Amino acid sequence: MNVFVLHDSGTIAAITGAQKPACESLALATNDPSDVAFCFVGDNPLGPGWLIDNELPCDRIACWSGTLADGPDLFAAHPHNWMNPGRESLDALLDEMIPQLEKAARRLTLVPHARHVVSDVQGSINLVRERADTPVEVALAPTFLLTPSMIDVVEDHYTRAFETLAGPAPFLLLHDFVVDEEDPERLRTVPLGDGLLDRSMTRALLDSHWNGEKPLILGPGELSAQLEWLGISSS
């Protein structure tokens, strides 16, 4: 399995003594930290002033699909995200960015989220098909598609996500989850093995649907424990 870990870019810069890149995090290979799967540019791509730095150290840039909600809460619910205004805003952004991406030989991977414009499996695969001949992709990030109301049927949602998106997705973002104690209407991601995600189900879906040569991205945390949870040797 080709395992990467998503590291905070500021932490990496502090450790290496290099200048902090203009991104929130970097996905670095566990067996070769110089191998960068993607740079994640945070904040809201549909908000004012959102830009991608031309000097980022990777040809693949990842970001959220964005929200029309105002204010500092990037994950505040907004009904227009799932209606025409949301997709129209995202499509306008992509239409503007595609020529720049093609010129720079870069790819843009959207990370879906239940409260953003690309919020579910169907919306993800629709965008993949619509943008098939462009440098725009959608990641497989099944935990981000969940809401607390889906906990009882997680297996159905994970299975559909893997069956539909594992093929076209350039990488898999895999997190465990818990219900946020401060806001029970939200889920909070945690390292694998620290939450409610079923291990047997996850391993079976990986074995059945995921191409192990493509990057599997884990969140920061106890890497050895996460690998053990997945049944992957850390050597």
Side-chain angles (χ1 to χ4, degrees), residues 197-219:
L197 190 61
D198 183 83
R199 177 167 59 177
S200 297
M201 174 201 72
T202 305
R203 285 181 173 183
L205 289 171
L206 283 169
D207 290 343
S208 299
H209 299 289
W210 187 248
N211 177 352
E213 296 182 1
K214 295 197 292 186
L216 164 61
I217 317 296
L218 302 180

Side-chain angles (χ1 to χ4, degrees), residues 86-167:
R87 270 306 305 264
E88 289 170 358
S89 297
L90 177 59
D91 285 337
L93 174 70
L94 296 178
D95 289 342
E96 179 181 348
M97 291 186 66
I98 283 171
Q100 304 170 43
L101 293 166
E102 292 175 335
K103 183 177 180 180
R106 285 186 163 183
R107 304 193 69 80
L108 181 71
T109 307
L110 300 178
V111 178
H113 189 280
R115 289 193 168 184
H116 286 171
V117 172
V118 182
S119 60
D120 57 15
V121 172
Q122 192 60 52
S124 296
I125 195 61
N126 286 347
L127 193 143
V128 168
R129 291 166 176 163
E130 293 164 10
R131 301 287 177 169
D133 297 324
T134 75
V136 175
E137 310 162 315
V138 178
L140 173 55
T143 301
F144 286 138
L145 300 178
L146 299 176
T147 65
S149 65
M150 298 175 181
I151 289 178
D152 291 339
V153 288
V154 165
E155 183 170 359
D156 291 343
H157 287 280
Y158 253 67
T159 299
R160 184 162 182 255
F162 270 86
E163 289 178 346
T164 306
L165 298 172

Side-chain angles (χ1 to χ4, degrees), residues 165-214:
L165 298 172
F171 59 82
L172 164 61
L173 270 170
L174 194 56
H175 298 86
D176 211 327
F177 64 90
V178 295
V179 177
D180 194 316
E181 294 179 358
E182 297 181 0
D183 183 356
E185 295 300 314
R186 303 189 190 202
L187 297 178
R188 178 167 57 86
T189 58
V190 295
L192 295 175
D194 288 351
L196 302 173
L197 190 61
D198 183 83
R199 177 167 59 177
S200 297
M201 174 201 72
T202 305
R203 285 181 173 183
L205 289 171
L206 283 169
D207 290 343
S208 299
H209 299 289
W210 187 248
N211 177 352
E213 296 182 1
K214 295 197 292 186

Side-chain angles (χ1 to χ4, degrees), residues 1-16 18 21 23-40 56-60 62 171-173 214-221 223 226-227:
M1 197 69 71
N2 194 14
V3 180
F4 289 68
V5 175
L6 198 58
H7 294 282
D8 176 78
S9 61
T11 301
I12 295 298
I15 293 173
T16 62
C23 62
E24 182 176 303
S25 49
L26 301 164
L28 307 182
T30 57
N31 60 356
D32 180 6
S34 66
D35 184 2
V36 184
F38 62 86
C39 300
F40 183 81
L56 286 175
C58 188
D59 293 336
R60 174 169 280 113
F171 59 82
L172 164 61
L173 270 170
K214 295 197 292 186
L216 164 61
I217 317 296
L218 302 180
L223 178 59
Q226 293 194 75
L227 293 176

Side-chain angles (χ1 to χ4, degrees), residues 63-101:
C63 68
W64 301 114
S65 63
T67 177
L68 298 183
D70 294 326
D73 186 353
L74 186 59
F75 303 102
H78 195 294
H80 285 174
N81 287 340
W82 312 305
M83 301 167 67
N84 287 340
R87 270 306 305 264
E88 289 170 358
S89 297
L90 177 59
D91 285 337
L93 174 70
L94 296 178
D95 289 342
E96 179 181 348
M97 291 186 66
I98 283 171
Q100 304 170 43
L101 293 166

